[in-house]
Amino acid sequence: MLVLAIDIGTSSTRTALFNESGARILATSASESYPLVTDAAGRAEIAPGRLLAAVRGCVGRTLVAARTLKSLRGRPIAAVGTSCFWHSLIGVDADGEAVTPIITWADSRCRVDAERLRRRHDEHAIHARTGCMLRASFWPAKLAWLERVHRGTFRQAERWMSPAEWLYLHICGGLRCAHGMATGTGLYDPAAMTWDGDAVARAHLRPAQLPPISDEPLMLGAAARRSWPELAQARWFPAIGDGAANNLGAGATRPGWAAINFGTSAAVRIMRDKPFPGDRGPRAPYGLFCYRVDSERFLVGGAISNAGSLRAWCMEHLRLPDDATIERQLARRAGPAHGLRVLPFWLAERAPSWRDDLAGAIVGITQSTSALDLLQAITEASFHRLATIVDALPGSGARLRFVVGGGLQRSPAGLQRLADVLGRDLLASHEPELSLRGAAVFALEKLGAPPERGAASGEPVRARRTQAHAYARERARLLELEGELHPLPSGAGSPPTAKRRAVRRGRTTRNARTQP
């Protein structure tokens, strides 16, 4: 039995076939890039037609590659699983044709609208109800901006949906939104598992303008069956969010496991199938998110905007050596001896403080500061942001085990430094495309054949006690600097105990070490 996996990202789509063990058949891998249209105002859009063409092209190339493999002949493709970037939307007319671009999670033109929503409504209460903040990343602010700036287009849209639903509408001819995708909108109640009536009304929408929620599969439309006869009997399960797919792909699905994805952005997530003690429903600490994976499970964690993008900035603007030299030299640097303190807010930041009004800062530069010092300090700063999320996770004092994916998994020096900053042991994933694998795992689960193994292997990267203590002290100083340079507005909700947690982590690192 085979499944086709599709991973739709903000800059490229990837596809591949996976076997029943959850292993990718490498020869069937395909990818296609497309531009994310940006500007200084905060625009971050994708042309719908480009995305649809990329998905169709990748699926076609994967099927063509499969036809050439003798080992796959006679093996049916039973299902299609899809991972798609969360929190993004598209407006369509009565015929399903796009009347807006795909407005991605990264589009921040609605910052003012998000601020207005926070003034009018209790963000704590809405977060507790929907699992989402009243911030620019989510639908309420984006819809308010569209209504304010593009009123005609807002009224023209007969329906609003995630890009994944729009793609399925054109490929399968049916409209269905998975619980896992709906949960990332900010208009969904993850406890009741339905659209939140109050949130929908606040967005000036009618319930009929949103797609029906279901995890039940669709089948291909007639035209697509003629092009892709191998998929004629395959069940197309509605797309899940890329963060949930990452946990599924990493195998971080059981209590005691967490997934860290460190790519252009980064996130820490834990998956659960029941509420935390004392909660009546799925919740997260204020500043973190709580999303549904499907009707059975939910995801708690936090994401940061500034991760691998900071390294890309350093490589473009600093006089740094090649990657191999950087890896060797950073491996010799055991701790934060560079004397720099960095607030890594090159892009509007998300968890845990959700401050989209901040600019980055580098404090402590002297004549002896080198480009490598800057790279190390800037990288460590993003690791410290992840550490604040880990410390805020419910039950974070437990012996969580971490699986790391994304570009960082290729850097032994980077993995060691992340382990030291977190004060936690790590396992590296051996699959570079965890969201793609997660889409396949989701489809296999729905077919009743979940893979037994995750995507982590090898010896754990051990946190070094001395370095972990030094980094915990450094994190407390960074939080002090953030408070000095960027004091919180009255009533803002940054985690109030972050500094105390950082100091406590410095005292208890030896007890927080984990075994894989």
Side-chain angles (χ1 to χ4, degrees):
M1 179 175 63
L2 302 172
V3 297
L4 170 67
I6 305 172
D7 179 28
I8 303 165
T10 53
S11 59
S12 66
T13 287
R14 292 162 291 280
T15 58
L17 292 178
F18 285 74
N19 64 22
E20 58 273 9
S21 299
R24 179 157 54 113
I25 301 170
L26 294 178
T28 66
S29 299
S31 66
E32 185 169 331
S33 299
Y34 33 80
L36 179 67
V37 181
T38 62
D39 63 22
R43 181 185 185 192
E45 298 175 340
I46 300 171
R50 291 290 300 272
L51 184 60
L52 179 59
V55 172
R56 284 175 168 160
C58 286
V59 170
R61 288 195 293 278
T62 288
L63 296 178
V64 168
R67 292 169 195 154
T68 67
L69 298 177
K70 293 182 180 179
S71 60
L72 300 186
R73 290 177 185 171
R75 300 180 65 182
I77 300 174
V80 178
T82 301
S83 161
C84 184
F85 51 92
W86 247 325
H87 322 309
S88 308
L89 81 165
I90 180 173
V92 305
D93 63 19
D95 297 322
E97 296 302 320
V99 299
T100 72
I102 294 169
I103 303 172
T104 72
W105 62 270
D107 196 302
S108 61
R109 289 173 291 179
C110 58
R111 290 188 298 270
V112 171
D113 304 274
E115 183 180 358
R116 289 174 178 171
L117 288 172
R118 293 196 297 274
R119 288 201 302 263
R120 294 171 186 166
H121 306 288
D122 183 345
E123 185 179 36
H124 286 76
I126 290 172
H127 173 263
R129 185 178 179 91
T130 67
C132 300
M133 308 284 285
L134 280 177
R135 304 289 163 155
S137 295
F138 301 102
W139 281 29
K142 295 184 186 303
L143 289 166
W145 173 78
L146 282 162
E147 185 178 20
R148 176 174 61 87
V149 177
H150 301 286
R151 184 177 296 271
T153 300
F154 182 82
R155 291 177 174 174
Q156 182 185 359
E158 289 289 329
R159 284 186 181 272
W160 297 94
M161 58 191 70
S162 297
E165 285 93 73
W166 184 78
L167 292 166
Y168 271 44
L169 181 62
H170 281 262
I171 292 172
C172 297
L175 184 59
R176 199 164 290 169
C177 180
H179 288 277
M181 190 57 67
T183 195
T185 63
L187 302 181
Y188 173 89
D189 183 338
M193 291 193 293
T194 186
W195 295 115
D196 185 285
D198 290 343
V200 172
R202 283 194 301 270
H204 299 163
L205 299 183
R206 305 182 310 276
Q209 290 182 275
L210 298 172
I213 297 174
S214 174
D215 288 340
E216 292 301 310
L218 294 162
M219 304 297 288
L220 270 185
R225 284 199 300 271
R226 289 192 292 271
S227 300
W228 304 329
E230 299 96 327
L231 301 177
Q233 302 303 314
R235 287 181 276 178
W236 287 64
F237 290 101
I240 60 174
D242 53 358
N246 188 267
N247 272 63
L248 289 166
T253 59
R254 305 184 303 279
W257 285 88
I260 296 176
N261 185 65
F262 197 94
T264 301
S265 59
V268 183
R269 309 176 184 95
I270 56 177
M271 190 178 292
R272 296 184 64 89
D273 58 5
K274 59 184 178 181
F276 293 101
D279 280 344
R280 291 176 296 174
R283 295 181 184 272
Y286 183 72
L288 304 189
F289 56 67
C290 178
Y291 306 142
R292 277 279 172 189
V293 177
D294 50 25
S295 61
E296 305 295 328
R297 299 166 291 186
F298 58 94
L299 199 69
V300 174
I304 62 172
S305 303
N306 299 278
S309 58
L310 297 180
R311 179 184 176 89
W313 181 90
C314 290
M315 297 302 291
E316 180 178 357
H317 295 288
L318 303 179
R319 297 177 62 182
L320 286 160
D322 60 88
D323 286 342
T325 302
I326 290 172
E327 181 76 9
R328 289 195 304 272
Q329 292 184 359
L330 286 180
R332 301 190 193 108
R333 295 174 167 226
H338 42 69
L340 300 172
R341 288 185 292 166
V342 175
L343 301 184
F345 305 136
W346 275 233
L347 297 172
E349 194 51 277
R350 291 178 279 172
S353 57
W354 291 88
R355 298 288 300 276
D356 57 14
D357 59 331
L358 304 188
I362 303 174
V363 176
I365 293 179
T366 69
Q367 191 173 15
S368 63
T369 300
S370 68
L372 200 65
D373 290 332
L374 288 166
L375 174 63
Q376 179 186 348
I378 291 170
T379 302
E380 289 171 352
S382 63
F383 291 171
H384 282 300
R385 302 305 293 183
L386 290 178
T388 63
I389 295 171
V390 170
D391 289 344
L393 287 173
S396 63
R399 298 173 66 83
L400 278 175
R401 288 174 280 187
F402 293 85
V403 181
V404 180
L408 188 68
Q409 70 199 67
R410 299 189 295 271
S411 169
L415 287 169
Q416 182 63 67
R417 197 170 305 280
L418 177 61
D420 292 341
V421 171
L422 297 181
R424 310 278 187 140
D425 297 346
L426 309 174
L427 284 171
S429 167
H430 59 72
E431 169 57 70
E433 301 287 354
L434 285 180
S435 293
L436 184 65
R437 182 178 189 269
V441 169
F442 184 76
L444 289 167
E445 287 181 342
K446 295 301 181 184
L447 293 173
E452 294 182 359
R453 299 184 62 184
S457 62
E459 292 296 316
V461 180
R462 303 287 187 186
R464 297 173 293 188
R465 185 179 304 173
T466 299
Q467 285 81 357
H469 283 302
Y471 280 121
R473 293 190 295 271
E474 184 67 16
R475 185 152 59 256
R477 288 192 286 268
L478 287 172
L479 290 167
E480 288 178 351
L481 177 65
E482 183 178 349
E484 293 168 3
L485 297 184
H486 303 299
L488 285 171
S490 177
S494 181
T497 58
K499 179 181 175 182
R500 186 166 69 250
R501 285 183 179 132
V503 174
R504 186 173 67 246
R505 292 285 299 147
R507 294 197 300 264
T508 61
T509 299
R510 65 173 60 89
N511 297 322
R513 293 276 302 278
T514 63
Q515 300 298 322

